[in-house]
């Protein structure tokens, strides 16, 4: 399972990348706005930090302009993934961009039918939003299960990129549901390392080792 960082903060991304456990990065207009920087500069810097897929989202809502924006974004670096919304116009743009051999990420997916259309349009990734469905009283993780079943039934090549994951439990559930990738905030990634029993066990080991008076080096 690939783990992507959901951030446009290049300083934070550099810190996460140093673990060797981050496989890609996703951004969106909100994250770019929070950075307060030029979009192209941010995406280029991210692509220099991360070798894997880096999602850069179009801002247009009509297919012709989405396509032009996508083509421009793809020129920033070879690992740029053009992110488009799951609308009819977005699917038109996805089909055209995919036909050009460009990577695409169809975002804001909230149903199996939407995921089916994204796959038929040739999307490289589809991003189901787990947390936002949970907010509406639905079972966001069930959507991951259902899309996995759909894609396996018909051998679609589109990867399931679980998004809107807010806790380590979300990441665990997405992995068990068969998501190909997950994108998560930096804090959620850091929380995956932590467990109280790990901390307690290490504390005991260190205390016992100190009593021996030995040094490995």
């Amino acid at each position: 399972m690939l783990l992507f960082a959901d951030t446009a903060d290049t300083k934070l991304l550099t810190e996460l990348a140093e673990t060797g456990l981050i496989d890609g990065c996703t951004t969106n207009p909100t994250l770019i706005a929070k950075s307060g920087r030029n979009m192209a500069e941010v995406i280029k810097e991210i692509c220099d930090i991360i070798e894997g897929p880096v999602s850069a989202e179009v801002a247009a809502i009509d297919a012709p302009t989405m396509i032009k924006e996508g083509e421009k974004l793809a020129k920033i670096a070879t690992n740029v993934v053009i992110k488009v919304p799951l609308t009819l116009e977005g699917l038109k743009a996805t089909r055209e961009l995919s036909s050009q051999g460009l990577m695409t990420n169809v975002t804001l997916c909230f149903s199996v039918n939407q995921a089916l259309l994204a796959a038929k349009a040739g999307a490289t990734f589809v991003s189901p939003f787990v947390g936002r469905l949970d907010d509406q009283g639905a079972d966001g993780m069930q959507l991951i299960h259902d899309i996995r079943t759909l894609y396996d039934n018909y051998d679609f090549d589109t990867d399931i990129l679980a998004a809107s994951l807010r806790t380590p439990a979300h990441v665990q559930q997405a992995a068990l549901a068969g998501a190909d990738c997950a994108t998560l905030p930096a804090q959620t990634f850091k929380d995956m390392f932590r467990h109280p029993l790990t901390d307690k066990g290490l504390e005991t080991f260190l205390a016992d080792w100190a009593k021996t008076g030995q040094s490995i080096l």
Side-chain angles (χ1 to χ4, degrees), residues 74-170:
K75 292 178 181 178
I76 295 175
T78 57
N79 54 328
V80 166
V81 178
I82 305 158
K83 196 173 181 183
V84 301
L86 213 162
T87 61
L88 179 58
E89 294 298 298
L91 292 173
K92 291 178 184 177
T94 298
R95 189 166 183 82
E96 171 58 28
L97 293 167
S98 297
S99 73
Q100 296 182 31
L102 300 175
M103 294 186 290
T104 55
N105 176 4
V106 180
T107 189
L108 294 171
C109 175
F110 294 98
S111 75
V112 174
N113 282 337
Q114 288 181 318
L116 171 61
L117 295 174
K120 287 181 68 64
T124 311
F125 302 96
V126 66
S127 293
F129 276 43
V130 173
R132 293 196 194 182
L133 278 172
D134 289 348
D135 292 343
Q136 300 301 313
D139 186 347
M141 202 56 65
Q142 185 60 48
L143 178 59
I144 304 296
H145 283 279
D146 292 344
I147 295 174
R148 179 76 278 156
T149 298
L150 170 72
Y151 284 6
D152 288 348
N153 280 350
Y154 297 100
D155 293 323
F156 284 124
D157 294 328
T158 301
D159 284 346
I160 302 171
L161 202 177
S164 189
L165 303 181
R166 298 169 180 168
T167 66
H170 266 162

Side-chain angles (χ1 to χ4, degrees), residues 27-87:
T27 68
N28 58 48
T30 299
L31 293 173
I32 295 294
K34 286 181 179 179
S35 76
R37 299 177 56 196
N38 175 271
M39 180 185 184
E41 292 178 1
V42 174
I43 297 301
K44 178 63 170 65
E45 191 171 333
I46 290 174
C47 289
D48 289 340
I49 298 169
I50 298 291
E51 293 183 3
V54 175
S55 288
E57 189 163 347
V58 299
I61 58 174
D62 63 286
T65 311
M66 284 187 200
I67 293 167
K68 291 179 182 178
E69 290 182 347
E71 291 169 342
K72 185 173 181 179
L73 290 171
K75 292 178 181 178
I76 295 175
T78 57
N79 54 328
V80 166
V81 178
I82 305 158
K83 196 173 181 183
V84 301
L86 213 162
T87 61

Side-chain angles (χ1 to χ4, degrees), residues 1-13:
M1 184 186 192
L2 301 180
L3 295 179
F4 297 167
D6 193 33
T7 184
D9 184 332
T10 54
K11 182 178 179 181
L12 180 58
L13 182 61

